[in-house]
Amino acid sequence: MDLAPFHAALQASVASGFWNWEGRLHTPHGLKWVNVRARTRSIDALAAESTGIMLNVTQSHLRESQLLNLSSDLRQIASHLESVREAERARMARDLHDDLGQVLTALQMNVALLRKQFGAAQAPELFGNVDKLIHAAAEAGRRVASELRPSVLDLGLKAALRWMSAQYAQRYDIRVSTELSYKSEVGELIATELFRIAQEGLTNVVRHARARQAWVRCVDVEAHQICISVEDDGIGYTPQEPPASRPSLGLRGMRERAAVFGGSFQLDQSPRGGVRVQVCMPLGPTLSSDDAGAAQPQPSAGDALG
């Protein structure tokens, strides 16, 4: 029961003349949430009179509590589903690497035997085309496996962000600088989400920003949170009226990823002239130690995929 705040609000209303308070009180029908709205006037030095209404707002508080509980349950379900999806992506990436790698390795061996048996001089163009096809299949397998779950994440978030930044810089001819100064341990699931957010942010930069340089920053903040931001020196945008040519699905995906884990999403102008996207997430229970190298990738028969 909120009796002390009730009396404090009542005493304060003597000076202000208005009493507006909401809290829990014992009633003949049990503990209830009530809202008091009244005018208070002083009668003498020891007495005051209040005239107004007292509303029973218990049902609205119960509904609000139910909605909060439902929202919390939905976030937990979404978080669980996301962890299941990431585990499935990791399994598919490993299977693709191993199974396709084994097939391509066997195919390379068979082609080498055919070349030795019949002689490469008999059909140099045919053997050359087969080698090119094997190489293309290996490249496609590497690309798909990397998109499902980059194996560099096994080396930690910092290594993964540096690798991804170098990949974007090389592929799209854009300078990408990184500042990875966080010192907290980051669980596997949160690390994967931060990596996906940075990946989506850089994709937006190369597609829409017309930027020459981008910055990826990951730092610790107060209250056991970690923040990742992607910004650029591109054409920017008007917050009130974002260009229609910019699709919102990427930004919406980042916002939803943050919401699932109780984080925050912010989109604003970058001091460097372009756009800055920042997502902050709470550091929940760690599933693995970031940058500890505990889960090193193991060699397999799929070496044809690299």
Side-chain angles (χ1 to χ4, degrees):
M1 186 174 69
D2 305 322
L3 192 57
F6 175 84
H7 287 302
L10 175 58
Q11 292 174 0
S13 71
V14 175
S16 65
F18 297 96
W19 186 16
N20 189 353
W21 178 83
E22 186 167 300
R24 298 167 299 171
L25 290 178
H26 277 299
T27 72
H29 303 287
L31 190 64
K32 300 292 183 182
W33 280 91
V34 298
N35 181 269
V36 178
R37 297 184 183 184
R39 288 182 178 271
T40 303
R41 67 182 184 88
S42 178
I43 298 176
D44 54 40
L46 299 177
E49 180 182 70
S50 295
T51 305
I53 61 173
M54 178 181 290
L55 301 175
N56 183 352
V57 293
T58 304
Q59 290 302 317
S60 64
H61 275 271
L62 288 176
R63 285 193 293 269
E64 181 181 356
S65 177
Q66 290 169 352
L67 288 174
L68 288 175
N69 290 335
L70 179 60
S71 178
S72 176
D73 291 342
L74 289 176
R75 282 198 301 269
Q76 290 180 6
I77 293 172
S79 175
H80 173 69
L81 290 176
E82 186 62 27
S83 67
V84 171
R85 280 196 295 266
E86 287 297 338
E88 184 65 12
R89 291 187 189 115
R91 184 193 64 78
M92 292 174 63
R94 286 193 299 268
D95 290 348
L96 178 64
H97 181 279
D98 294 343
D99 296 345
L100 182 59
Q102 290 175 6
V103 171
L104 292 179
T105 299
L107 186 57
Q108 284 177 327
M109 295 173 62
N110 288 334
V111 170
L113 291 174
L114 288 173
R115 183 183 281 113
K116 183 177 180 180
Q117 182 174 353
F118 296 101
Q122 299 295 329
E125 185 176 350
L126 177 61
F127 281 111
N129 288 337
V130 171
D131 288 336
K132 290 179 181 178
L133 289 173
I134 294 174
H135 179 73
E139 286 295 323
R142 269 196 298 268
R143 185 180 67 254
V144 173
S146 178
E147 290 174 355
L148 285 170
R149 186 183 185 277
S151 59
V152 71
L153 273 171
D154 293 332
L155 304 178
L157 178 60
K158 290 181 179 178
L161 290 174
R162 292 192 185 102
W163 171 83
M164 179 178 62
S165 299
Q167 290 292 309
Y168 273 81
Q170 179 181 2
R171 188 178 305 171
Y172 300 106
D173 192 25
I174 179 175
R175 292 179 60 192
V176 182
S177 302
T178 58
E179 180 189 342
L180 311 174
S181 59
Y182 69 91
K183 301 186 183 303
S184 303
E185 288 190 351
V186 183
E188 182 178 343
L189 182 57
I190 295 296
T192 302
E193 292 303 311
L194 293 173
F195 178 87
R196 299 290 187 195
I197 288 167
Q199 187 177 44
E200 187 62 49
L202 285 177
T203 298
N204 284 343
V205 169
V206 299
R207 284 182 178 175
H208 310 295
R210 303 178 198 168
R212 293 171 298 176
Q213 186 168 359
W215 291 263
V216 176
R217 188 167 178 257
C218 193
V219 298
D220 290 313
V221 294
E222 296 179 357
H224 305 290
Q225 283 194 330
I226 186 169
C227 292
I228 192 161
S229 64
V230 178
E231 56 185 298
D232 61 78
D233 62 353
I235 59 176
Y237 82 114
T238 302
Q240 293 78 12
E241 297 180 2
S245 60
R246 284 201 171 191
S248 61
L249 291 179
L251 298 178
R252 186 181 304 167
M254 286 187 275
R255 184 181 290 109
E256 290 177 354
R257 283 180 184 274
V260 163
F261 294 94
S264 62
F265 171 89
Q266 183 178 352
L267 174 69
D268 56 17
Q269 295 277 10
S270 166
R272 297 176 168 95
V275 174
R276 175 172 57 191
V277 177
Q278 178 174 281
V279 171
C280 295
M281 288 190 180
L283 289 169
T286 55
L287 301 180
S288 67
S289 177
D290 180 43
D291 298 323
Q296 299 289 342
Q298 298 298 320
S300 68
D303 289 339
L305 288 182

